Each structure stands twice: as structure tokens, then as C-alpha cells.
Amino acid sequence: MSETLYRPRQGSIPLTDDRYDYRDCLREYSSPGDYVAFDTERASGIRYLDKAYLIQAKGQSAPLVLLDPLVLDDLSDFSEACKNSTWVLHAAKEDLECMEWAGLQAPRLFDTQIAAKLLGYEHVGLGAVTEEVLGIKLAKNHTRENWSLRPLKQSWLDYAALDVEYLVELALALKEKLEAAGRLSWAEQEFSYALANYHRPRGRAPWRQVKGAGKARSPQQLGLLRELYNQRDEIARKRDVAPHRVLPNRDLVEIVLQPPHSYQELSQRPFMKRRQLRRYARHWWQAIKQVRDLPKDQLPGREPPRKLHEISSLATWEKIDPARAELYRLLKADVSTWSQENQLWAELALSPSAIRQVAAYWRPGKDLQNLLLTAQARQWQITHFQPRFEQLCSAWKNSSL
């Protein structure tokens, strides 16, 4: 069994957190090589914005550096220095958006987690893949730290540095395996898709997306949900804390579904025993009173019914259209079977949204390829699943006649 590593090969790396050291760093990255590994450390669930509070980089021909984006708030010149390289990240979607805050934008991508999923690895965390492919065991002892704190402990920096120390080597090894499996073109299409689609979708009414909010049905409940959400978001933004630290979702929804009739009744709710939550109680009471006084025409209505392909629950499909639910089931099972036979993750074989698109809208004579393209299926997926789906859809249609 390989020994666990706790720091990079060359020893501890200092944090680059002043302009003079950063200029030296830029000189070292004047020719970083064909690949540059990147990673970030964030304060998710602690701070309001999911920004990078530490950025790690290691070029194929450049040394490992740890950059402090709180001091070096514009790293666009570092991004420019690496523009001719392929950027290697693990689970890139988690990092690419927050890297934008610091001016870093990847020109090309190699995602080692996507590669591992296409190769059928059972465990695809960075530590697991690095150990299986390179035989190197990385320490994972600081995964939940608050990286917005300063100063950062050297043990934290050592942990963070290891996330990029072997990442280029891992990418090159995975690339060889993808070539041997005939899946490198699949991976390249997936990397391009990930690079073009990493931004989180922005809902028009994010307050409707709160977990448990679907139970709110009356205009009064929906109005209170909206007001509490907006009040919470404003407080969280001003204090730079995650919204759930101002009022957890479960408590927000409980107020919406069972609104207190007095401030005294609100103060007796279980969550009010916690001092950090109790401090905002008057905001919630003010929101309750404000919504009570709103005229009906200023209260929101229920969300318009979703289109069939937007519904992920098979049970809901069965209530709306049992025949289409059966087609959905058949297509989903076919993707699962194909994935098992070819040893890769089903979510990468074909997305659930693409399966739903076909199940909801296929008709005899309809161009199935366009349905898959509408759901942003990649060409390698269309090549494999279009003929299979044509047969399944035709058989389903004939059996339903």
C-alpha cells in the first residue's frame, strides 16, 4: 500500500500574496508547457459568494504556485501567460466559474474526473483516481476548512498544493488510457461541452427553488416565501455569509407553511434558540406582517406547469402520460445497459435530459437527431444512441397501437 503524502515533492510552497512575488511568478510562467494544472479552494456554505479564496497552479514546465486572490484580485495576466496551454482540472465545473472572479478563463480543458468516468472508474474523486492510476496516495485532511480566513496555515497550503502536484501527470496517463480505449474523441467532446456550459443556470424566481418550497401553494404562502427569501438574501449578501447561516431552508419553509401569529410565537420556534439565527428575528416578523397587508394582485401565483421533458420524476410522468412514461423507462434502461456493457458512467453515456427530450417528443418521421441536439447531446452520443433509440421508439409505437 502506498504511503500517504502530506506535502509536495519539493517541500512546502509559500503563499504568493504580494505583487513583487507575483511578478516573479509571472516570469516563471512565461513558458509553462503544454499543460497547466489548476485547482481552487473556496468557502462554500460559509461565504455568500462561491469565490476562489486560493488558486493553485502547476505548469508542465513551470513550478507549483499558490496564489492569493484576495490580494491578487486580477489574475488576467496569469491567464494570458497560460493561454497556449491546456488547463487540467479535476471536476472542472466546481472551479471554472469561481476562477472567473479572479480573471482566469481556460482556453482549453482536460478534466481528469470526466476522463475517469469515461474509463469506468468506480471512484472518481481526485485522491481515488490518483492512487489508482499513479499509485500515489494524497492526504485529504483539510477538505472542509474555511479558506476565506487569513493567515492560512502551512498545513492547509501543503494540502492544497497536492491537488495540483500530480495533476498533469494524471492527465497524461488518463489520455493514454483514453486513446487505448478509443475514447479520446469522446473525452475531447465532453471537455469542450464542460468548458462551454459550466455557468450555473440563473432561475427567474430562485425563491421557488428552495428545498421544500413546493409545499407552498396559496398566494399568501408564496408571497411569504418570496419575501423571506429576499430578506434573507439581502442580509447574507451584506454580511458575506451563506444564506443558510442567516436562516436555514427548513426553518424558512416552516415559517411559510405555519406562519406565527405574533412575534412572541415566532420567538418560540426551535431555531430561535440559536443566537446567530435569533438576531434576525425582527426581519422575519416584519416580512410576515408586510405580506399579510399585501393586496391579492401583488401576491405571486403558482408556477406555470412544467413541460414534460423538464420533469425528472418518472412517477409524475406516469400520472401525466403513462405511455410516454413507458418510453422514458425503456430509453433510460437502454442507456444503463449500454453503459454497463461498455464500462462507463451512465450520466456521461447520455444525460437524463436528453433521454427525456426523446421520450417526450419523438413521433414517427420526426428527426430524432434534432431532439438529441436540442438536449445538447454530443456527436459521439448521437452516433451511438440515435439508431438504438430509433428501434426502441418504433417498437414502443407499434406495441401501443
Side-chain angles (χ1 to χ4, degrees):
M1 187 174 180
S2 55
E3 184 179 349
T4 302
L5 300 181
Y6 289 92
R7 60 182 56 85
R9 284 168 282 198
Q10 66 272 43
S12 295
I13 306 294
L15 180 64
T16 300
D17 58 358
D18 67 64
R19 295 287 172 183
Y20 298 103
D21 289 342
Y22 180 56
R23 282 202 293 268
D24 293 338
C25 170
L26 284 175
R27 283 193 289 271
E28 291 174 322
Y29 272 77
S30 60
S31 181
D34 292 336
Y35 294 88
V36 178
F38 282 93
D39 190 35
T40 69
E41 303 299 339
R42 305 184 297 282
S44 303
I46 298 173
R47 296 296 185 181
Y48 179 71
L49 294 174
D50 197 20
K51 299 196 312 186
Y53 288 93
L54 178 69
I55 294 170
Q56 309 98 285
K58 186 176 189 296
Q60 193 173 13
S61 305
L64 199 160
V65 293
L66 303 175
L67 306 173
D68 186 350
L70 295 186
V71 177
L72 312 169
D73 56 349
D74 182 4
L75 296 172
S76 55
D77 46 3
F78 191 86
S79 189
E80 179 71 13
C82 301
K83 70 178 181 179
N84 295 319
S85 305
T86 296
W87 293 18
V88 182
L89 291 96
H90 190 84
K93 190 174 182 180
E94 301 296 318
D95 298 290
L96 287 171
E97 189 166 11
C98 73
M99 288 166 68
E100 283 188 359
W101 289 96
L104 293 169
Q105 291 192 304
R108 286 164 302 283
L109 176 67
F110 190 108
D111 188 322
T112 48
Q113 185 178 82
I114 290 176
K117 288 181 176 181
L118 283 172
L119 290 166
Y121 288 106
E122 182 179 358
H123 302 289
V124 294
L126 177 59
V129 178
T130 303
E131 186 171 9
E132 183 159 351
V133 176
L134 300 180
I136 296 169
K137 189 173 183 180
L138 306 177
K140 286 293 174 185
N141 53 332
H142 293 293
T143 57
R144 297 186 181 277
E145 306 294 358
N146 180 0
W147 293 89
S148 67
L149 297 177
R150 292 297 184 274
L152 291 171
K153 297 178 182 178
Q154 188 59 54
S155 61
W156 294 16
L157 295 174
D158 290 341
Y159 156 83
L162 284 174
D163 283 344
V164 293
E165 169 75 331
Y166 297 94
L167 199 51
V168 170
E169 294 168 50
L170 179 61
L172 294 173
L174 289 171
K175 183 179 179 181
E176 285 187 10
K177 292 179 181 293
L178 288 166
E179 286 179 314
R183 297 180 181 180
L184 183 57
S185 67
W186 301 4
E188 288 169 345
Q189 291 173 52
E190 292 301 319
F191 300 157
S192 295
Y193 175 80
L195 191 55
N197 294 277
Y198 62 82
H199 288 105
R200 295 183 183 94
R202 307 297 185 198
R204 285 178 294 179
W207 52 272
R208 293 186 186 271
Q209 310 307 316
V210 173
K211 185 176 181 180
K215 297 175 183 177
R217 301 184 184 279
S218 72
Q220 278 283 336
Q221 288 177 331
L222 292 169
L224 183 53
L225 173 65
R226 180 181 63 187
E227 186 61 28
L228 288 173
Y229 179 93
N230 290 337
Q231 289 261 10
R232 180 181 73 167
D233 195 69
E234 182 178 356
I235 294 169
R237 179 173 49 78
K238 287 180 177 177
R239 297 186 63 85
D240 190 20
V241 295
H244 75 87
R245 289 175 172 260
V246 176
L247 181 64
N249 284 340
R250 64 178 181 275
D251 299 310
L252 187 154
V253 172
E254 181 190 329
I255 293 174
V256 167
L257 299 180
Q258 300 174 25
H261 295 93
S262 65
Y263 181 79
Q264 183 181 8
E265 186 181 334
L266 172 64
S267 67
Q268 293 172 352
R269 295 290 169 93
F271 73 89
M272 294 286 280
K273 295 178 182 178
R274 297 169 58 188
R275 183 181 177 185
Q276 71 179 69
L277 300 180
R278 189 168 62 246
R279 65 193 299 187
Y280 306 114
R282 295 205 174 274
H283 291 273
W284 317 140
W285 180 239
Q286 193 63 36
I288 293 167
K289 292 197 299 181
Q290 182 176 332
V291 172
R292 280 178 182 166
D293 295 335
L294 282 178
K296 287 185 178 180
D297 62 357
Q298 292 184 28
L299 293 171
R302 296 190 63 179
E303 207 171 7
R306 288 178 293 168
K307 295 179 181 179
L308 189 58
H309 75 278
E310 297 172 331
I311 300 171
S312 58
S313 167
L314 185 56
T316 304
W317 275 55
E318 288 172 342
K319 294 176 183 176
I320 298 171
D321 191 331
R324 290 282 165 181
E326 177 59 23
L327 179 57
Y328 181 12
R329 187 182 291 107
L330 290 169
L331 298 177
K332 188 176 180 181
D334 184 65
V335 172
S336 178
T337 299
W338 187 90
S339 303
Q340 291 173 9
E341 291 172 350
N342 290 276
Q343 296 184 324
L344 73 156
W345 284 46
E347 69 185 52
L348 278 185
L350 192 66
S351 69
S353 63
I355 299 170
R356 293 196 299 270
Q357 189 79 27
V358 175
Y361 303 120
W362 179 85
R363 299 286 187 279
K366 194 173 183 90
D367 189 344
L368 195 147
Q369 180 173 331
N370 281 338
L371 289 175
L372 291 169
L373 286 170
T374 298
Q376 296 186 291
R378 273 66 80 195
Q379 188 56 54
W380 75 268
Q381 297 170 326
I382 293 172
T383 298
H384 284 91
F385 286 102
Q386 183 178 349
R388 298 173 69 93
F389 280 12
E390 291 281 12
Q391 290 184 2
L392 281 169
C393 290
S394 297
W396 165 80
K397 182 64 177 176
N398 293 333
S399 68
S400 62
L401 293 176

